[in-house]
Amino acid sequence: MSTTLYILTILSCIACISRLSHCSDEKAKNVIIFIADDLGYSDLSCFGNELIQTPNIDKLAKNGLKLTRMYSMPSEAGSLAAIYTGRQPMRMGLVKGNLGWPSFWSVAQSGGIPLSEMNMAKYYEMKGHIPFLFGRWGLGSWSWSLPTNQGFGGFYGTVMGHSPACSSDAEDFFADSDYFWFVLAELGPLIVTFLILIISSKMLSFISIKLLIPLISMVFISIGIFRIYCWMLPLNSITCKVFDNQMVKEDFYIDTTLTSQITEKAQHYIKFRKRPPFLLIIPYHQPGHPAFASSNFLGKSGINKYYDSILELDWSVGEVMNTLQEQGMENNTVIFFLSDSGPVLTHPYTNSHLKHSSKDMKLQGEKGSLREGGIRVPAIVSWPNFIEPNQETAVVTSVMDIFPTIQHLIGQPNKIQRTHMRHFDGKDLKQLFKNPNKKSDEIHKVLLHYCDTGDVSAATVGDYKIYFVSQNISNDCSGYILEDPLVYNIKDDPGETTALPPSQHQDVISKARSNSLRFEMSLDIKKRTIKSQFDQIPFPWDMWVSI
């Protein structure tokens, strides 16, 4: 009897240790997040592109889970803030405002993720770990809003995204002075006509010299003010700096070397990290406008620079993953790969079509639009030995889901951390890792889409997409409020070509409206009317002190 009891005790201990080991496996030690810049939904071969091959990113998809209905925000700043905080950027005022800007448009603007917000870097920091970010920041250029003051132990990259003013290609280079003369040329006939009119009026004695001088002065003062405005745009070369933490590493970077620098920094971090778990975020500058590629990849696609830059992006992901494998950490590292928004198809300043960009006609819309082509992004999660290989899910997910998922992967917050946490708008995706074949609304019953500080502009409800505000196919998500919402079945009609009768879909419309109301009620009373941070007027003298 005692022998039997002894054997049973041993078996129970073994089972217990096995369960503990399994639970330990489910706690990821490390997280790496690759964030592409303005990568189109079907620009990767694993998402159906037949023009180029992206073997390294494809390998992530083969070893993990493809999220085919991952939604971003319509702007870069909004998406990045949603990724880092797990919350709607509207809560932080990081949405398109009255001035029409969807992101920070001047380094002299004093904005960013509020210091009161918990983000994933602070979460890791409070657990005693040192998260790093290599790449573009895009969430404020004042000292308090820089990554090193937002929880990151180290930062190497650019404060703002890559702009035409930083392009080494003469064809893509477009500085603040170019924009000034471009607009002035368009307004030239109007200005000349006005000057001729007032001078003729003086010659015909319709106005006096006392009135003539102020009128002419007003014209030239207006031109001067506009020149200062152009100077404060991202097209100023002051944005073309590479930072190593808060120190300027390169005063005017060479864009064709950016990706290799970021890759080397990431590899070094993986090799010489202090201790796990670690958080490494790599927000690339590729393949966003203006697209660029190093000499090793320029012309490699045989198509254009946009696809050349995707090939270099794929190479970088492969190099980082190879280093992770060499260090023996591949199995206990969760990898997220996604884009922050859809592709840019229209030049943001001249409104001309960009020949070097991708144009996927299967999904309408581009970056800035709430159409599927603007906010539906390619996304992959890979975690060997936990996520079954070569999986795919059509469940509606959001970039806001990444932080809540990471929180559950590395462990729930302790009491001190909970006091600093905010309500997540994102959801934990871990349930999809083992069972991706769930209903499309399993994670988000309703996913709200905002493009400004007004009411909800659109919503995704399972297989349906509802628009409450008219949408242009271009990069502008603003419009007028529709009397009858537009309803599309995204599952059957991903191109949003045929609107369905609203009268036959009142259930999904009502669900979207009620969810929007609940969201507005969840806002702090003082923040019910949120002002966009992008409406903040910068001061010219702050151009030198902000970064």
Side-chain angles (χ1 to χ4, degrees):
M1 183 68 180
S2 59
T3 303
T4 304
L5 182 62
Y6 177 77
I7 293 173
L8 289 174
T9 303
I10 294 295
L11 291 175
S12 298
C13 290
I14 293 173
C16 182
I17 292 171
S18 176
R19 283 195 299 271
L20 289 173
S21 175
H22 180 70
C23 291
S24 175
D25 291 341
E26 290 187 9
K27 296 295 182 185
K29 300 299 182 184
N30 314 301
V31 175
I32 298 178
I33 306 175
F34 297 104
I35 308 175
D37 184 28
D38 304 343
L39 177 69
Y41 177 78
S42 57
D43 284 334
L44 302 172
S45 48
C46 57
F47 276 81
N49 195 305
E50 299 178 355
L51 300 176
I52 60 171
Q53 294 298 313
T54 50
N56 296 304
I57 300 175
D58 290 0
K59 186 178 179 181
L60 289 179
K62 288 178 182 178
N63 292 336
L65 174 66
K66 274 174 35 178
L67 304 166
T68 63
R69 291 195 67 189
M70 168 74 80
Y71 288 96
S72 69
M73 306 301 157
S75 71
E76 173 187 22
S79 285
L80 294 175
I83 292 170
Y84 299 152
T85 66
R87 286 156 59 84
Q88 281 278 7
M90 182 181 180
R91 294 185 185 276
M92 297 165 273
L94 294 171
V95 285
K96 186 175 179 180
N98 296 323
L99 293 181
W101 288 94
S103 292
F104 290 106
W105 54 275
S106 174
V107 295
Q109 286 179 294
S110 57
I113 297 177
L115 292 176
S116 59
E117 287 285 337
M118 173 61 73
N119 62 56
M120 61 175 67
K122 290 180 180 178
Y123 183 75
Y124 265 77
E125 184 185 44
M126 293 178 73
K127 280 184 168 288
H129 311 300
I130 306 176
F132 270 66
L133 186 145
F134 301 125
R136 62 191 161 91
W137 176 235
L139 286 168
S141 54
W142 282 55
S143 60
W144 66 266
S145 60
L146 291 176
T148 47
N149 288 320
Q150 289 284 345
F152 289 97
F155 165 60
Y156 185 91
T158 61
V159 172
M160 300 188 76
H162 184 53
S163 81
C166 308
S167 178
S168 60
D169 192 324
E171 183 181 344
D172 292 326
F173 182 78
F174 193 77
D176 55 311
S177 57
D178 297 313
Y179 181 63
F180 171 73
W181 290 112
F182 173 80
V183 175
L184 208 62
E186 287 192 328
L187 298 177
L190 182 62
I191 295 172
V192 171
T193 301
F194 181 73
L195 289 173
I196 292 174
L197 180 62
I198 59 176
I199 293 173
S200 300
S201 298
K202 171 60 182 72
M203 294 176 65
L204 295 173
S205 300
F206 291 150
I207 60 175
S208 64
I209 189 68
K210 292 182 178 180
L211 183 58
L212 175 66
I213 294 175
L215 288 174
I216 294 178
S217 299
M218 182 181 67
V219 172
F220 286 100
I221 290 173
S222 298
I223 292 174
I225 292 173
F226 179 68
R227 181 64 187 95
I228 295 174
Y229 166 78
C230 295
W231 180 66
M232 292 191 297
L233 295 176
L235 296 172
N236 191 313
S237 61
I238 197 173
T239 65
C240 307
K241 299 178 186 290
V242 169
F243 285 78
D244 191 345
N245 292 323
Q246 293 191 0
M247 301 295 293
V248 176
K249 184 72 173 179
E250 291 183 48
D251 197 38
F252 191 96
Y253 62 75
I254 301 174
D255 54 3
T256 54
T257 66
L258 269 178
T259 301
S260 60
Q261 290 182 57
I262 291 168
T263 305
E264 289 174 7
K265 288 288 183 180
Q267 290 176 300
H268 185 273
Y269 174 74
I270 293 172
K271 290 178 182 178
F272 301 103
R273 71 209 176 281
K274 289 188 176 180
R275 63 180 184 274
F278 67 73
L279 171 66
L280 174 59
I281 303 179
I282 310 176
Y284 289 99
H285 299 79
Q286 293 175 311
H289 172 72
F292 63 88
S294 66
S295 57
N296 293 332
F297 292 92
L298 192 61
K300 189 174 182 178
S301 70
I303 306 171
N304 52 43
K305 280 190 298 182
Y306 179 81
Y307 283 111
D308 293 342
S309 68
I310 294 177
L311 294 181
E312 186 167 19
L313 170 71
D314 180 73
W315 164 83
S316 176
V317 171
E319 290 296 294
V320 173
M321 291 304 299
N322 289 339
T323 303
L324 193 71
Q325 189 173 17
E326 290 168 4
Q327 297 299 310
M329 296 186 295
E330 187 179 26
N331 290 337
N332 65 340
T333 303
V334 179
I335 308 295
F336 291 88
F337 177 91
L338 71 155
S339 176
D340 62 357
S341 65
V344 177
L345 307 179
T346 308
H347 194 292
Y349 296 101
T350 66
N351 290 324
S352 59
H353 176 66
L354 297 173
K355 296 180 181 178
H356 63 273
S357 290
S358 108
K359 191 170 186 180
D360 179 13
M361 296 307 294
K362 295 178 182 177
L363 302 181
Q364 294 191 60
E366 61 178 296
K367 179 180 179 177
S369 167
L370 292 181
R371 293 284 189 178
E372 290 289 292
I375 59 174
R376 187 170 174 178
V377 296
I380 300 167
V381 186
S382 176
W383 186 5
N385 299 330
F386 190 80
I387 298 178
E388 294 295 324
N390 208 25
Q391 296 292 305
E392 184 175 309
T393 181
V395 174
V396 173
T397 56
S398 167
V399 296
M400 297 184 294
D401 301 333
I402 295 176
F403 186 12
T405 304
I406 288 175
Q407 184 197 97
H408 285 83
L409 291 178
I410 68 171
Q412 292 292 335
N414 57 35
K415 184 177 180 180
I416 296 176
Q417 291 166 331
R418 277 195 292 268
T419 61
H420 292 82
M421 295 300 287
R422 298 290 186 272
H423 168 76
F424 280 134
D425 295 310
K427 308 292 183 182
D428 179 14
L429 298 178
K430 196 173 177 181
Q431 57 180 299
L432 292 180
F433 293 176
K434 285 299 184 182
N435 183 14
N437 299 316
K438 294 178 177 288
K439 295 195 304 180
S440 59
D441 65 348
E442 185 70 27
I443 302 295
H444 293 274
K445 298 301 180 184
V446 177
L447 182 61
L448 304 175
H449 308 294
Y450 290 88
C451 72
D452 53 36
T453 54
D455 297 328
V456 60
S457 300
T460 297
V461 184
D463 293 335
Y464 295 95
K465 181 89 164 284
I466 301 102
Y467 290 97
F468 298 101
V469 175
S470 63
Q471 295 291 307
N472 295 319
I473 295 178
S474 65
N475 59 351
D476 185 5
C477 75
S478 60
Y480 58 88
I481 298 177
L482 297 168
E483 185 176 347
D484 292 318
L486 293 173
V487 182
Y488 295 94
N489 186 319
I490 300 302
K491 181 180 179 181
D492 299 334
D493 181 23
E496 302 171 287
T497 58
T498 306
L500 304 174
S503 59
Q504 298 178 16
H505 298 84
Q506 287 299 315
D507 54 338
V508 293
I509 293 174
S510 298
K511 190 179 293 186
R513 289 192 189 279
S514 60
N515 196 276
S516 174
L517 182 60
R518 280 196 297 271
F519 173 77
E520 291 174 8
M521 293 299 293
S522 72
L523 298 174
D524 186 351
I525 294 177
K526 295 181 181 179
K527 297 181 179 180
R528 291 287 167 83
T529 305
I530 298 179
K531 295 181 180 179
S532 172
Q533 290 195 39
F534 311 136
D535 283 346
Q536 294 177 12
I537 304 299
F539 297 104
W541 51 84
D542 286 335
M543 291 290 286
W544 293 281
V545 301
S546 56
I547 61 174

